[in-house]
Amino acid sequence: MKVISDCLDKLSKALSRQHYFTIIIKLPDIRFCYTGFLPEIYQKHHRTRAKMPAPSPLTIATQSVQRLVKEDSYYRKELAQQTERVKKIEEDLKASPESTDENAAYMLKQEQKAIEETRAVFAPLRERIVEAIQRLEEQIATAESESAPADEVTKAKEALTLGRGLEPAVA
């Protein structure tokens, strides 16, 4: 037992003094626990995690416009799909009003309600896009005066073109 203790003391003196480790030795008749310090190599490995730099205000404004444009396109696709479903249900009702189930009229009403709700999204979304475009224009002006990276400014101008090129809000 004394030999193990002496070896562990020498080991702990050789190791860095910042992080602890524990060694537990279990033998049939002996149980030994020792607490010491972690090696410096282990500490360096865990300290060198790469951190990403925070995005610039120009990047944030660019991504905001891109996200809102993407959201607008998704709502437009959803509206087109809902309109197709309503047309299909209406055609089925006109083709054979007797053979359809009672639920078809209810389904038609629900789909029309969903279309109205989707259309209601476009006005506030358009306002948010306009606000995001204004912020992006301000950030582009600031970035150009401060000589920001050219690739960021290029991406921002592309996003600005996308935002301005949107179709008008669906009524």
Side-chain angles (χ1 to χ4, degrees), residues 8-9 12 15 17 19-24 32-38:
L8 291 174
D9 283 337
S12 69
L15 300 176
R17 301 279 181 196
H19 296 289
Y20 281 89
F21 69 95
T22 301
I23 297 175
I24 299 174
F32 183 79
C33 180
Y34 182 81
T35 302
F37 295 94
L38 285 177

Side-chain angles (χ1 to χ4, degrees), residues 9 12 35 44 46 49 60 66-67 72 76 78 80 82 90 96-97 100 106-107 124 131 135 146 150-151 155 162:
D9 283 337
S12 69
T35 302
K44 286 181 183 175
H46 286 284
R49 291 185 183 144
I60 293 170
Q66 290 171 339
R67 177 183 48 81
D72 183 78
R76 289 183 189 278
E78 181 179 337
Q82 289 171 340
E90 286 175 344
S96 57
T100 58
Y106 176 76
M107 291 300 292
E131 291 171 6
R135 280 194 305 271
E146 295 175 356
D151 61 331
K155 287 179 184 177
L162 277 175

Side-chain angles (χ1 to χ4, degrees), residues 109-141:
K109 185 178 177 181
Q110 291 295 79
E111 288 293 332
Q112 289 171 339
K113 184 178 177 184
I115 285 176
E116 290 173 16
E117 290 173 358
T118 302
R119 283 190 175 141
V121 169
F122 283 104
L125 179 60
R126 187 67 182 172
E127 291 173 9
R128 291 192 343 235
I129 290 172
V130 169
E131 291 171 6
I133 287 173
Q134 290 173 351
R135 280 194 305 271
L136 182 57
E137 288 171 341
E138 293 169 4
Q139 290 300 326
I140 288 173

Side-chain angles (χ1 to χ4, degrees), residues 16 18-19 38-49:
S16 172
Q18 294 180 3
H19 296 289
L38 285 177
E40 189 173 319
I41 296 169
Y42 179 80
Q43 294 172 24
K44 286 181 183 175
H45 173 71
H46 286 284
R47 267 191 260 147
T48 58
R49 291 185 183 144

Side-chain angles (χ1 to χ4, degrees), residues 59-107:
T59 303
I60 293 170
T62 301
Q63 291 173 348
S64 175
V65 170
Q66 290 171 339
R67 177 183 48 81
L68 289 170
V69 167
K70 190 175 185 178
E71 187 175 337
D72 183 78
S73 70
Y74 283 145
Y75 278 119
R76 289 183 189 278
K77 287 178 187 176
E78 181 179 337
L79 183 63
Q81 291 171 351
Q82 289 171 340
T83 305
E84 288 298 316
R85 284 196 300 260
V86 166
K87 285 179 184 177
K88 185 175 185 283
I89 293 172
E90 286 175 344
E91 288 173 2
D92 290 346
L93 281 174
K94 287 179 184 176
S96 57
E98 301 87 25
S99 65
T100 58
D101 59 1
E102 301 95 25
N103 204 20
Y106 176 76
M107 291 300 292

